[in-house]
Amino acid sequence: MAVVRAARDEDAEAIADICARGYRRTYPALLSSAFIERMIAEFYQVERVSKEVPAAPPGWLGYQVAEEDGRVLGAAGGGLLRPGVGELFVLYLDPDERGRGLGTLLLDRVTGQLRELGATEMWVAALDGNELGIPFYEARGFRKVERRRTYGSTEADNAWSWRFSRPI
Ligand SMILES: CC(C)(COP(=O)(O)OP(=O)(O)OC[C@H]1O[C@@H](n2cnc3c(N)ncnc32)[C@H](O)[C@@H]1OP(=O)(O)O)[C@@H](O)C(=O)NCCC(=O)NCCS
């Protein structure tokens, strides 16, 4: 059975690997490989993930992982944007483990962390056209609010993201 827990230092490599593979599997039709590799190099190198394993509240509540039989199969993290308002900043699974509830476990975990800090509203951004992510958020009560240029993208990348929100 899968469990969800706060990540530990020794999980950094698995988290970086899952996020990088998840990223490469999710966006090839939507983003250039140069952009994909730039984002992975910025956010999902082991060194950076290691630094972000611990929480730095209220803005970052630390990586959370889903683990089964001693293997890390998914990672997520969120934090408060401002009092009362939280965001899920990252959520990826091992691409072979989608569709059996692990994403929901991780989402529930981060939602609980945000509620504990007093959040009543939760946001998440997903790339416009991300059919592996958007239907999941919509199934969990998030609604599209605004479309914005994707964080970290330039005009040449022409990448757009939806920002979704739901009450929590
Ligand atoms: C998004 C993601 C984390 C969801 O995790 P998951 O374990 O696959 O999802 P779960 O099994 O917990 O829940 C799936 C729910 O979403 C719904 N859903 C609908 N379309 C879906 C789709 N294309 N993909 C996943 N779920 C979908 C399912 O019906 C289910 O709802 P239900 O239980 O009410 O029927 C995972 O699929 C993933 O890693 N996707 C690729 C990476 C990604 O896009 N991450 C988000 C970046 S913003």
Side-chain angles (χ1 to χ4, degrees), residues 56-99:
W60 172 246
L61 305 180
Y63 269 109
Q64 310 299 308
V65 294
E67 181 192 78
E68 196 172 58
D69 301 330
R71 279 183 63 218
V72 171
L73 302 180
L80 287 192
L81 299 175
R82 53 185 184 276
V85 181
E87 179 152 344
L88 175 69
F89 295 123
V90 50
L91 172 59
Y92 286 99
L93 297 188
D94 181 323
D96 300 326
E97 308 290 345
R98 296 181 50 245

Short mmCIF file of all heavy atoms in Angstrom, two decimals, residues 56-99:
data_model
loop_
_atom_site.label_atom_id
_atom_site.label_comp_id
_atom_site.label_asym_id
_atom_site.label_seq_id
_atom_site.Cartn_x
_atom_site.Cartn_y
_atom_site.Cartn_z
N ALA A 56 10.37 25.42 4.11
CA ALA A 56 10.75 26.79 4.44
C ALA A 56 9.44 27.58 4.55
O ALA A 56 9.10 28.35 3.66
CB ALA A 56 11.67 27.36 3.37
N PRO A 57 8.67 27.32 5.62
CA PRO A 57 7.33 27.88 5.70
C PRO A 57 7.35 29.40 5.89
O PRO A 57 8.31 29.91 6.43
CB PRO A 57 6.71 27.18 6.92
CG PRO A 57 7.86 26.63 7.70
CD PRO A 57 9.02 26.49 6.77
N PRO A 58 6.29 30.09 5.47
CA PRO A 58 5.06 29.52 4.91
C PRO A 58 5.09 29.35 3.39
O PRO A 58 4.18 28.76 2.84
CB PRO A 58 4.01 30.57 5.29
CG PRO A 58 4.76 31.87 5.26
CD PRO A 58 6.17 31.56 5.70
N GLY A 59 6.14 29.84 2.72
CA GLY A 59 6.14 29.86 1.26
C GLY A 59 6.37 28.50 0.62
O GLY A 59 5.95 28.26 -0.51
N TRP A 60 7.06 27.61 1.33
CA TRP A 60 7.37 26.28 0.77
C TRP A 60 7.29 25.27 1.91
O TRP A 60 7.99 25.42 2.93
CB TRP A 60 8.77 26.28 0.15
CG TRP A 60 9.25 24.92 -0.28
CD1 TRP A 60 10.30 24.24 0.26
CD2 TRP A 60 8.75 24.10 -1.33
NE1 TRP A 60 10.47 23.04 -0.39
CE2 TRP A 60 9.52 22.92 -1.37
CE3 TRP A 60 7.68 24.23 -2.24
CZ2 TRP A 60 9.28 21.89 -2.29
CZ3 TRP A 60 7.45 23.20 -3.15
CH2 TRP A 60 8.24 22.06 -3.18
N LEU A 61 6.46 24.26 1.75
CA LEU A 61 6.20 23.33 2.86
C LEU A 61 6.97 22.02 2.70
O LEU A 61 6.68 21.05 3.40
CB LEU A 61 4.70 23.10 3.00
CG LEU A 61 3.93 24.43 3.18
CD1 LEU A 61 2.43 24.17 3.31
CD2 LEU A 61 4.43 25.23 4.38
N GLY A 62 7.96 22.02 1.82
CA GLY A 62 8.84 20.86 1.69
C GLY A 62 8.28 19.83 0.73
O GLY A 62 7.07 19.71 0.56
N TYR A 63 9.19 19.10 0.07
CA TYR A 63 8.73 18.03 -0.82
C TYR A 63 8.02 16.95 0.00
O TYR A 63 8.47 16.57 1.08
CB TYR A 63 9.91 17.39 -1.56
CG TYR A 63 10.21 18.03 -2.89
CD1 TYR A 63 11.35 18.82 -3.08
CD2 TYR A 63 9.35 17.85 -3.97
CE1 TYR A 63 11.63 19.40 -4.31
CE2 TYR A 63 9.62 18.43 -5.20
CZ TYR A 63 10.76 19.20 -5.36
OH TYR A 63 11.02 19.77 -6.57
N GLN A 64 6.91 16.45 -0.58
CA GLN A 64 6.17 15.31 -0.03
C GLN A 64 6.30 14.19 -1.06
O GLN A 64 6.32 14.45 -2.27
CB GLN A 64 4.69 15.67 0.15
CG GLN A 64 4.46 16.97 0.92
CD GLN A 64 5.03 16.92 2.32
OE1 GLN A 64 4.73 16.00 3.08
NE2 GLN A 64 5.86 17.91 2.68
N VAL A 65 6.39 12.96 -0.59
CA VAL A 65 6.53 11.84 -1.54
C VAL A 65 5.50 10.76 -1.27
O VAL A 65 5.03 10.58 -0.14
CB VAL A 65 7.95 11.22 -1.50
CG1 VAL A 65 9.00 12.21 -1.99
CG2 VAL A 65 8.30 10.68 -0.13
N ALA A 66 5.15 10.03 -2.35
CA ALA A 66 4.35 8.81 -2.24
C ALA A 66 5.32 7.65 -2.39
O ALA A 66 6.11 7.62 -3.33
CB ALA A 66 3.29 8.78 -3.34
N GLU A 67 5.23 6.73 -1.44
CA GLU A 67 6.17 5.61 -1.42
C GLU A 67 5.40 4.30 -1.34
O GLU A 67 4.39 4.22 -0.64
CB GLU A 67 7.06 5.75 -0.19
CG GLU A 67 8.11 4.67 -0.03
CD GLU A 67 8.75 4.70 1.35
OE1 GLU A 67 8.10 4.21 2.29
OE2 GLU A 67 9.85 5.24 1.48
N GLU A 68 5.88 3.30 -2.06
CA GLU A 68 5.25 1.98 -2.01
C GLU A 68 6.35 0.93 -2.05
O GLU A 68 7.23 1.00 -2.93
CB GLU A 68 4.30 1.81 -3.21
CG GLU A 68 3.33 0.66 -3.07
CD GLU A 68 2.31 0.69 -4.19
OE1 GLU A 68 2.73 0.64 -5.37
OE2 GLU A 68 1.11 0.78 -3.91
N ASP A 69 6.29 -0.02 -1.15
CA ASP A 69 7.31 -1.08 -1.08
C ASP A 69 8.73 -0.50 -1.12
O ASP A 69 9.59 -1.00 -1.84
CB ASP A 69 7.14 -2.07 -2.25
CG ASP A 69 5.77 -2.73 -2.22
OD1 ASP A 69 5.21 -2.90 -1.13
OD2 ASP A 69 5.25 -3.06 -3.31
N GLY A 70 8.93 0.60 -0.41
CA GLY A 70 10.26 1.19 -0.32
C GLY A 70 10.69 2.01 -1.53
O GLY A 70 11.80 2.53 -1.56
N ARG A 71 9.80 2.14 -2.53
CA ARG A 71 10.14 2.95 -3.72
C ARG A 71 9.36 4.24 -3.73
O ARG A 71 8.14 4.24 -3.49
CB ARG A 71 9.79 2.18 -5.00
CG ARG A 71 10.81 1.14 -5.43
CD ARG A 71 10.35 0.53 -6.76
NE ARG A 71 10.29 1.51 -7.84
CZ ARG A 71 9.34 1.54 -8.79
NH1 ARG A 71 8.34 0.69 -8.77
NH2 ARG A 71 9.39 2.45 -9.74
N VAL A 72 10.05 5.35 -4.05
CA VAL A 72 9.37 6.63 -4.20
C VAL A 72 8.77 6.68 -5.61
O VAL A 72 9.47 6.50 -6.60
CB VAL A 72 10.35 7.80 -3.98
CG1 VAL A 72 9.69 9.13 -4.35
CG2 VAL A 72 10.80 7.83 -2.53
N LEU A 73 7.43 6.89 -5.67
CA LEU A 73 6.73 6.84 -6.96
C LEU A 73 6.15 8.18 -7.39
O LEU A 73 5.66 8.31 -8.50
CB LEU A 73 5.58 5.82 -6.89
CG LEU A 73 5.96 4.39 -6.54
CD1 LEU A 73 4.72 3.50 -6.51
CD2 LEU A 73 6.97 3.84 -7.55
N GLY A 74 6.20 9.17 -6.48
CA GLY A 74 5.65 10.46 -6.84
C GLY A 74 6.12 11.52 -5.86
O GLY A 74 6.54 11.20 -4.74
N ALA A 75 6.05 12.78 -6.31
CA ALA A 75 6.51 13.89 -5.46
C ALA A 75 5.63 15.11 -5.68
O ALA A 75 5.10 15.31 -6.78
CB ALA A 75 7.96 14.23 -5.79
N ALA A 76 5.46 15.89 -4.61
CA ALA A 76 4.65 17.10 -4.70
C ALA A 76 5.15 18.11 -3.67
O ALA A 76 5.86 17.75 -2.73
CB ALA A 76 3.18 16.77 -4.43
N GLY A 77 4.75 19.37 -3.88
CA GLY A 77 5.09 20.39 -2.89
C GLY A 77 4.25 21.63 -3.08
O GLY A 77 3.85 21.95 -4.20
N GLY A 78 3.95 22.29 -1.97
CA GLY A 78 3.16 23.51 -2.04
C GLY A 78 3.58 24.50 -0.98
O GLY A 78 4.54 24.27 -0.23
N GLY A 79 2.84 25.59 -0.92
CA GLY A 79 3.12 26.60 0.10
C GLY A 79 2.10 27.72 0.02
O GLY A 79 1.23 27.71 -0.85
N LEU A 80 2.21 28.65 0.94
CA LEU A 80 1.28 29.79 0.95
C LEU A 80 1.81 30.90 0.05
O LEU A 80 3.01 31.22 0.09
CB LEU A 80 1.12 30.36 2.36
CG LEU A 80 0.30 29.57 3.38
CD1 LEU A 80 0.03 30.47 4.61
CD2 LEU A 80 -1.00 29.05 2.82
N LEU A 81 0.93 31.48 -0.76
CA LEU A 81 1.28 32.66 -1.56
C LEU A 81 1.14 33.92 -0.72
O LEU A 81 1.89 34.86 -0.86
CB LEU A 81 0.35 32.78 -2.77
CG LEU A 81 0.34 31.64 -3.79
CD1 LEU A 81 -0.74 31.88 -4.84
CD2 LEU A 81 1.71 31.51 -4.44
N ARG A 82 0.11 33.91 0.11
CA ARG A 82 -0.17 35.00 1.05
C ARG A 82 -1.15 34.43 2.05
O ARG A 82 -1.65 33.31 1.87
CB ARG A 82 -0.73 36.23 0.32
CG ARG A 82 -1.93 35.95 -0.56
CD ARG A 82 -2.35 37.19 -1.34
NE ARG A 82 -3.56 36.92 -2.11
CZ ARG A 82 -3.58 36.35 -3.30
NH1 ARG A 82 -2.46 36.00 -3.90
NH2 ARG A 82 -4.73 36.13 -3.93
N PRO A 83 -1.43 35.15 3.14
CA PRO A 83 -2.32 34.57 4.15
C PRO A 83 -3.65 34.11 3.54
O PRO A 83 -4.28 34.84 2.79
CB PRO A 83 -2.53 35.72 5.14
CG PRO A 83 -1.29 36.56 5.01
CD PRO A 83 -0.91 36.47 3.56
N GLY A 84 -4.01 32.85 3.83
CA GLY A 84 -5.29 32.32 3.37
C GLY A 84 -5.27 31.71 1.98
O GLY A 84 -6.24 31.09 1.57
N VAL A 85 -4.15 31.88 1.26
CA VAL A 85 -4.11 31.44 -0.14
C VAL A 85 -2.89 30.55 -0.38
O VAL A 85 -1.75 30.99 -0.22
CB VAL A 85 -4.06 32.65 -1.10
CG1 VAL A 85 -4.06 32.17 -2.54
CG2 VAL A 85 -5.24 33.58 -0.84
N GLY A 86 -3.15 29.29 -0.75
CA GLY A 86 -2.05 28.35 -0.98
C GLY A 86 -1.91 27.98 -2.44
O GLY A 86 -2.79 28.27 -3.26
N GLU A 87 -0.78 27.36 -2.77
CA GLU A 87 -0.58 26.86 -4.14
C GLU A 87 0.14 25.52 -4.12
O GLU A 87 1.03 25.29 -3.29
CB GLU A 87 0.22 27.87 -4.97
CG GLU A 87 0.46 27.38 -6.40
CD GLU A 87 0.61 28.46 -7.46
OE1 GLU A 87 0.23 29.62 -7.17
OE2 GLU A 87 1.09 28.15 -8.56
N LEU A 88 -0.27 24.65 -5.02
CA LEU A 88 0.47 23.42 -5.31
C LEU A 88 1.48 23.80 -6.39
O LEU A 88 1.10 24.16 -7.50
CB LEU A 88 -0.49 22.35 -5.83
CG LEU A 88 0.14 21.04 -6.29
CD1 LEU A 88 0.72 20.27 -5.09
CD2 LEU A 88 -0.88 20.18 -7.02
N PHE A 89 2.76 23.74 -6.06
CA PHE A 89 3.78 24.20 -7.01
C PHE A 89 4.29 23.07 -7.90
O PHE A 89 4.76 23.32 -9.00
CB PHE A 89 4.98 24.80 -6.26
CG PHE A 89 4.66 26.04 -5.49
CD1 PHE A 89 4.89 26.12 -4.12
CD2 PHE A 89 4.12 27.15 -6.13
CE1 PHE A 89 4.60 27.27 -3.41
CE2 PHE A 89 3.82 28.31 -5.43
CZ PHE A 89 4.06 28.36 -4.06
N VAL A 90 4.27 21.86 -7.41
CA VAL A 90 4.83 20.76 -8.20
C VAL A 90 4.11 19.46 -7.84
O VAL A 90 3.76 19.24 -6.67
CB VAL A 90 6.37 20.65 -7.98
CG1 VAL A 90 6.74 20.64 -6.52
CG2 VAL A 90 6.97 19.41 -8.64
N LEU A 91 3.84 18.65 -8.87
CA LEU A 91 3.22 17.32 -8.66
C LEU A 91 3.56 16.44 -9.86
O LEU A 91 3.10 16.70 -10.98
CB LEU A 91 1.69 17.45 -8.53
CG LEU A 91 0.90 16.12 -8.50
CD1 LEU A 91 1.33 15.24 -7.35
CD2 LEU A 91 -0.60 16.40 -8.43
N TYR A 92 4.39 15.45 -9.64
CA TYR A 92 4.73 14.49 -10.70
C TYR A 92 4.75 13.09 -10.14
O TYR A 92 5.11 12.87 -8.98
CB TYR A 92 6.11 14.81 -11.33
CG TYR A 92 6.03 16.01 -12.22
CD1 TYR A 92 6.44 17.26 -11.75
CD2 TYR A 92 5.50 15.92 -13.50
CE1 TYR A 92 6.31 18.39 -12.54
CE2 TYR A 92 5.36 17.04 -14.29
CZ TYR A 92 5.77 18.27 -13.82
OH TYR A 92 5.63 19.37 -14.60
N LEU A 93 4.37 12.15 -11.02
CA LEU A 93 4.46 10.73 -10.67
C LEU A 93 5.42 10.06 -11.62
O LEU A 93 5.64 10.53 -12.74
CB LEU A 93 3.11 10.05 -10.87
CG LEU A 93 1.92 10.48 -10.04
CD1 LEU A 93 0.78 9.51 -10.31
CD2 LEU A 93 2.25 10.50 -8.57
N ASP A 94 5.94 8.92 -11.19
CA ASP A 94 6.59 8.03 -12.13
C ASP A 94 5.56 7.81 -13.24
O ASP A 94 4.41 7.42 -12.96
CB ASP A 94 6.89 6.71 -11.40
CG ASP A 94 7.59 5.72 -12.30
OD1 ASP A 94 7.26 5.66 -13.49
OD2 ASP A 94 8.46 5.00 -11.78
N PRO A 95 5.91 8.08 -14.51
CA PRO A 95 4.91 8.01 -15.59
C PRO A 95 4.20 6.66 -15.69
O PRO A 95 3.06 6.60 -16.16
CB PRO A 95 5.73 8.31 -16.86
CG PRO A 95 6.92 9.08 -16.39
CD PRO A 95 7.24 8.56 -15.01
N ASP A 96 4.81 5.61 -15.21
CA ASP A 96 4.16 4.29 -15.30
C ASP A 96 3.16 4.05 -14.17
O ASP A 96 2.51 2.99 -14.13
CB ASP A 96 5.21 3.17 -15.27
CG ASP A 96 6.17 3.30 -16.44
OD1 ASP A 96 5.72 3.75 -17.52
OD2 ASP A 96 7.36 2.98 -16.27
N GLU A 97 3.05 4.97 -13.24
CA GLU A 97 2.22 4.76 -12.05
C GLU A 97 1.01 5.68 -12.01
O GLU A 97 0.39 5.87 -10.97
CB GLU A 97 3.06 4.97 -10.77
CG GLU A 97 4.35 4.19 -10.72
CD GLU A 97 4.14 2.68 -10.55
OE1 GLU A 97 3.03 2.26 -10.19
OE2 GLU A 97 5.11 1.93 -10.80
N ARG A 98 0.68 6.25 -13.18
CA ARG A 98 -0.46 7.18 -13.20
C ARG A 98 -1.78 6.41 -13.10
O ARG A 98 -1.86 5.24 -13.42
CB ARG A 98 -0.45 7.99 -14.50
CG ARG A 98 0.79 8.90 -14.61
CD ARG A 98 0.77 9.73 -15.91
NE ARG A 98 -0.50 10.38 -16.06
CZ ARG A 98 -1.36 10.11 -17.04
NH1 ARG A 98 -1.06 9.23 -17.96
NH2 ARG A 98 -2.52 10.74 -17.08
N GLY A 99 -2.82 7.14 -12.62
CA GLY A 99 -4.18 6.62 -12.72
C GLY A 99 -4.56 5.58 -11.67
O GLY A 99 -5.52 4.85 -11.87
#
